[in-house]
Amino acid sequence: MHQSLRFASKSISRAETRLRERNREVLLAAGREAKERIVEREFDRVNETVCKDLANYSALHRSLSESINRIEEDHQQAVDVPPDPPGWVKAVEAVATIDSREGRVRVGAVLSDIHKSLVKAHQEAMVMYREASTKRHALLRKMRPEWRQIQQTLRRVGKNVDSLLSRSVTIDRHMQEYEDMVTGEDRAVSVLSSSSLVYFFVSMLVLCVAIGGATINFSLIARPMAEMVGGTSMIGGYRTSEIAALVIIMVEISMGLFLMESLRITRLFPVIGALPDKVRVRMVWITFTILFLLATVEAGLAYMREVLLHDELATSALLRGDVSQTLTGQYLWITTAAQMGMGFILPFALTFVAIPLETFVHSLRTVLGLFAIGFLRFISLALRVLGNSFRYLGLLAEHLYDLPLFIPIWLEQRSSKNTGNSSLSEVTP
Amino acid sequence: MRLLTTIASCVVLIGCSSSSTPTNTGIYMLLDTSGTYREELQKAQQIIRYTLSRLDAKDSFAVARIDTASFSEKDIVAKTTFDDRPSTVNRQKRLFAEEISIFVDEVKSSPYTDITGGLLQAVEFLNEKNTGTKTILIFSDLKEDLKDGYIRDISFDLDGFNVIALNVTKLRSDNIDPREYLTRLDDWKSKVEKFGGEWQVINDLDGLEGLL
């Protein structure tokens, strides 16, 4: 018994080990896939940034070059030009060339002319200098926006480069985690395992909310469906109208799943994800159209439900003889509009069930594996304890069996000893 | 493929099995219009309205008067088998209530009371409708008064029928000799049970909740 239980325990332990290994592989594979998606997405973002901002780098370069050229030209023009030599130099030359014989008499007049020329030249020089300064200032003022533009452009480029750098840091981090997963590090497995449990419970919570939404949706359309398929016909013990309402909701959820798959938000059906982009986009439109039509049908059914409800209330009131109850309130349109709105919105809201469903399905495998490992471990332990219990019970039984035999054996040994002694005493003399 | 075929077969079989036995209700109500009992018809109208409120799609309901010769379709005041669609059912109920209202306002009392003829007509009607449950409501004092020449001492099959006597009022003669009233009730009970039906008397019209 002990051996067989021990053998069973070992067998279960081996099964548990195999399952743990398998679970580990599944966990790492799922983690790798998720990480690949994240890294892929990060690269997409980097690519987007590069395409958007750095693709027009040539235009940016040209713009910067043009701005710099313009600044250079303006700078060249803004150089402080020395004023022309004053006009009185010529007058000095004239004075220098005056003959001594005829010159002395006219020197005063010449000096007066020189003075006049000097004043005039000074005035002209001042005017020219002011004009040149004004022009220079104007050129410098013109340079200011160019500087600003260059500054802005460079800031933008810096921002993009910073963004790329931060993304590269994120990618590095993800790649490190990915490498850990590839090498099968225990830390990665532990992180993935806890994440999987969290995802499982969160997705389950969201799915419960979605089930609540689907139930409300069902109650909105089940009653008016009786107008379409009849209120009494049954299929398998269930009303046909209720089954029809359920089918509509299921079709809506299916369309939502396909829509999410076509948009590559979820990856439950690899076939859809692998479709050519053209077909995929076409599929998006087709599923969206069907979903929209179903939502419209639901809104109509919700309106029909309200009408039926009023009709039934009026009939009941009439049968009770309470005519005052048949009057309709002026605010009833609010409930009608609310029901129609819910009937229209809920199918689209149910579309997003695909996201938690995918997470639930993926994490379910791991969580079930964890539970199965725990269960097998418990069974193995229980079998081992049971086996040992049987073993020690056997030993105990053996000892108990020996206990009553002790006295006859002791007596037998004692008598045999006595016999031996007497024979020896006989032989000794 | 085999699995799909099996599932489809199961669904079809379940569908067929569920539709073989009717689950609808059939009610036939007889209204006594003889003598002073005509004044009780307002109460009958209330019962009819209550019955209408409890009936659903595919159920059958008929109201007939008890007069001199009640074994006739002409005595059926209103009859209907409710449609499958809820909106139509509501419309049918309103029309039915309206017809009964007109009848109660315009009805004239009949000189004789042919309850057995009405019962025969009810059995015939409900058998023809083949409803799941068959109930005959008799709104009368149960005092049968046949015209000379009318033979009603015949047997009929009431197996599967619930016969309920409503508002069985006491006549003046009953007050003098209550044995007459009790004998009348006993006679009807034994008659119904003899032919396989179930008999019930409800005089307190406030306790109609358990009627259907």
Side-chain angles (χ1 to χ4, degrees):
Chain A
M1 200 69 183
H2 165 66
Q3 287 298 329
S4 62
L5 285 172
R6 202 174 160 196
F7 180 72
S9 170
K10 271 188 181 173
S11 170
I12 287 172
S13 287
R14 273 200 296 276
E16 183 220 323
T17 311
R18 274 203 301 276
L19 187 64
R20 196 167 55 236
E21 287 299 318
R22 177 77 189 134
N23 210 33
R24 187 187 171 94
E25 279 171 22
V26 168
L27 208 59
L28 285 171
R32 276 201 301 273
E33 197 187 338
K35 213 42 100 179
E36 277 167 13
R37 280 170 75 171
I38 292 169
V39 171
E40 196 180 318
R41 180 71 195 132
E42 285 297 330
F43 275 118
D44 280 348
R45 281 174 184 158
V46 169
N47 184 43
E48 207 173 291
T49 312
V50 169
C51 288
K52 200 174 79 180
D53 300 315
L54 300 183
N56 50 4
Y57 179 73
S58 55
L60 191 78
H61 183 257
R62 202 179 63 233
S63 159
L64 277 172
S65 298
E66 281 172 3
S67 294
I68 288 164
N69 282 340
R70 272 198 298 275
I71 288 167
E72 229 173 70
E73 281 168 16
D74 290 346
H75 186 257
Q76 284 292 327
Q77 285 171 14
V79 170
D80 197 1
V81 184
D84 290 337
W88 56 268
V89 177
K90 287 177 186 172
V92 171
E93 282 172 1
V95 170
T97 55
I98 290 171
D99 195 348
S100 57
R101 286 173 297 176
E102 54 182 346
R104 287 194 187 272
V105 184
R106 288 184 183 174
V107 169
V110 170
L111 286 174
S112 173
D113 284 346
I114 289 170
H115 179 252
K116 277 180 192 172
S117 297
L118 194 62
V119 169
K120 194 181 169 187
H122 177 68
Q123 280 175 349
E124 280 175 1
M126 284 304 288
V127 167
M128 279 174 70
Y129 181 71
R130 277 178 192 144
E131 278 177 2
S133 290
T134 312
K135 209 179 277 177
R136 202 164 57 245
H137 282 148
L139 285 168
L140 286 170
R141 203 179 299 125
K142 232 170 78 182
M143 281 160 70
R144 230 163 46 188
E146 298 288 344
W147 278 115
R148 272 201 207 114
Q149 197 185 339
I150 289 169
Q151 197 181 5
Q152 277 172 7
T153 312
L154 287 174
R155 197 180 292 152
R156 204 165 62 238
V157 170
K159 206 173 159 184
N160 288 335
V161 170
D162 282 348
S163 149
L164 283 176
L165 283 172
S166 69
R167 288 221 182 282
S168 69
V169 169
T170 314
I171 290 170
D172 277 349
R173 187 167 50 81
H174 286 308
M175 281 308 290
Q176 183 59 47
E177 287 170 9
Y178 183 73
E179 277 172 17
D180 286 351
M181 285 172 201
V182 170
T183 52
E185 296 271 339
D186 285 342
R187 194 175 61 85
V189 175
S190 159
V191 169
L192 284 173
S193 180
S194 62
S195 301
S196 187
L197 276 170
V198 170
Y199 292 152
F200 176 76
F201 286 111
V202 170
S203 59
M204 199 164 71
L205 183 74
V206 179
L207 278 179
C208 287
V209 173
I211 288 168
T215 312
I216 297 289
N217 203 5
F218 174 78
S219 69
L220 271 178
I221 61 169
R223 194 189 179 106
M225 277 303 280
E227 282 292 309
M228 291 162 68
V229 295
T232 53
S233 59
M234 311 277 270
I235 298 175
Y238 297 96
R239 288 185 178 214
T240 312
S241 58
E242 288 176 355
I243 290 171
L246 205 63
V247 165
I248 284 187
I249 291 167
M250 290 300 169
V251 169
E252 282 168 1
I253 292 172
S254 307
M255 287 300 127
L257 278 176
F258 293 145
L259 185 62
M260 288 289 169
E261 284 290 318
S262 310
L263 289 169
R264 285 192 177 154
I265 293 171
T266 56
R267 293 182 185 187
L268 283 167
F269 303 99
V271 180
I272 299 174
L275 284 174
D277 280 356
K278 200 176 171 185
V279 180
R280 206 169 45 76
V281 170
R282 208 175 287 165
M283 198 164 166
V284 167
W285 282 110
I286 290 168
T287 46
F288 180 77
T289 310
I290 294 172
L291 206 59
F292 183 81
L293 289 173
L294 285 171
T296 315
V297 168
E298 274 210 17
L301 286 172
Y303 175 73
M304 190 69 200
R305 179 181 184 272
E306 190 68 10
V307 170
L308 278 175
L309 199 69
H310 287 165
D311 191 33
E312 206 167 300
L313 282 173
T315 308
S316 300
L318 185 80
L319 294 177
R320 280 199 314 273
D322 189 3
V323 186
S324 63
Q325 286 290 316
T326 58
L327 296 172
T328 51
Q330 56 177 325
Y331 298 112
L332 283 174
W333 66 269
I334 297 173
T335 52
T336 312
Q339 284 191 49
M340 286 181 74
M342 278 172 72
F344 190 78
I345 290 165
L346 278 172
F348 290 107
L350 285 176
T351 302
F352 293 96
V353 170
I355 298 167
L357 184 71
E358 187 191 32
T359 314
F360 183 77
V361 168
H362 285 159
S363 57
L364 180 69
R365 198 173 172 185
T366 315
V367 172
L368 280 181
L370 286 174
F371 278 118
I373 288 168
F375 180 70
L376 287 178
R377 193 171 287 174
F378 172 75
I379 295 285
S380 167
L381 181 74
L383 286 175
R384 181 158 290 190
V385 168
L386 203 65
N388 282 334
S389 305
F390 276 117
R391 184 187 169 194
Y392 287 112
L393 276 172
L395 282 173
L396 184 69
E398 199 180 321
H399 289 312
L400 285 172
Y401 177 74
D402 285 347
L403 198 64
L405 289 177
F406 163 73
I407 297 165
I409 289 170
W410 178 71
L411 286 171
E412 191 187 342
Q413 279 178 350
R414 196 176 170 79
S415 66
S416 65
K417 202 184 271 182
N418 286 337
T419 320
N421 283 342
S422 62
S423 63
L424 275 174
S425 60
E426 277 172 12
V427 170
T428 307
Chain B
M1 191 65 194
R2 191 181 289 173
L3 182 72
L4 281 174
T5 317
T6 313
I7 292 167
S9 311
C10 287
V11 169
V12 170
L13 282 172
I14 290 164
C16 292
S17 63
S18 61
S19 60
S20 57
T21 46
T23 52
N24 56 343
T25 308
I27 297 174
Y28 195 96
M29 187 168 181
L30 293 164
L31 301 179
D32 194 345
T33 57
S34 63
T36 53
Y37 202 82
R38 185 184 158 276
E39 292 162 13
E40 301 285 326
L41 287 180
Q42 292 293 337
K43 287 181 190 171
Q45 198 176 359
Q46 283 176 19
I47 294 167
I48 290 165
R49 282 178 171 173
Y50 171 77
T51 310
L52 279 172
S53 70
R54 299 298 300 268
L55 293 175
D56 213 341
K58 292 285 177 191
D59 290 340
S60 294
F61 187 32
V63 174
R65 57 183 285 173
I66 298 171
D67 59 4
T68 310
S70 303
F71 185 56
S72 164
E73 281 84 4
K74 285 178 187 172
D75 283 328
I76 296 175
V77 178
K79 64 175 176 180
T80 189
T81 298
F82 294 113
D83 195 75
D84 212 12
R85 288 173 298 171
S87 61
T88 315
V89 170
N90 285 331
R91 203 165 50 247
Q92 284 174 310
K93 283 180 180 179
R94 285 199 293 270
L95 275 172
F96 200 101
E98 205 175 319
E99 282 177 41
I100 295 298
S101 187
I102 293 167
F103 167 73
V104 170
D105 289 343
E106 294 176 356
V107 68
K108 289 172 185 168
S109 59
S110 65
Y112 297 96
T113 313
D114 177 18
I115 299 172
T116 311
L119 210 56
L120 277 169
Q121 183 61 40
V123 170
E124 195 179 67
F125 177 85
L126 290 175
N127 280 336
E128 193 181 321
K129 292 293 176 190
N130 191 28
T131 53
T133 56
K134 294 164 185 169
T135 308
I136 299 169
L137 304 175
I138 305 172
F139 190 80
S140 166
D141 53 15
L142 297 180
K143 176 82 175 170
E144 192 162 49
D145 184 16
L146 293 171
K147 194 178 175 183
D148 290 341
Y150 283 79
I151 299 161
R152 292 292 181 259
D153 189 15
I154 49 175
S155 64
F156 44 91
D157 187 15
L158 280 176
D159 188 26
F161 281 80
N162 293 317
V163 182
I164 304 170
L166 298 166
N167 195 39
V168 186
T169 51
K170 280 96 183 170
L171 304 171
R172 192 174 294 168
S173 55
D174 295 337
N175 211 359
I176 295 164
D177 184 3
R179 283 177 301 180
E180 266 188 40
Y181 177 76
L182 295 171
T183 311
R184 204 159 66 238
L185 284 177
D186 280 344
D187 285 349
W188 274 106
K189 187 184 177 192
S190 56
K191 189 174 182 180
V192 168
E193 286 178 350
K194 191 177 93 181
F195 296 131
E198 285 182 23
W199 175 257
Q200 195 183 347
V201 179
I202 299 176
N203 280 330
D204 181 12
L205 297 182
D206 291 334
L208 288 175
E209 279 75 23
L211 181 65
L212 299 169

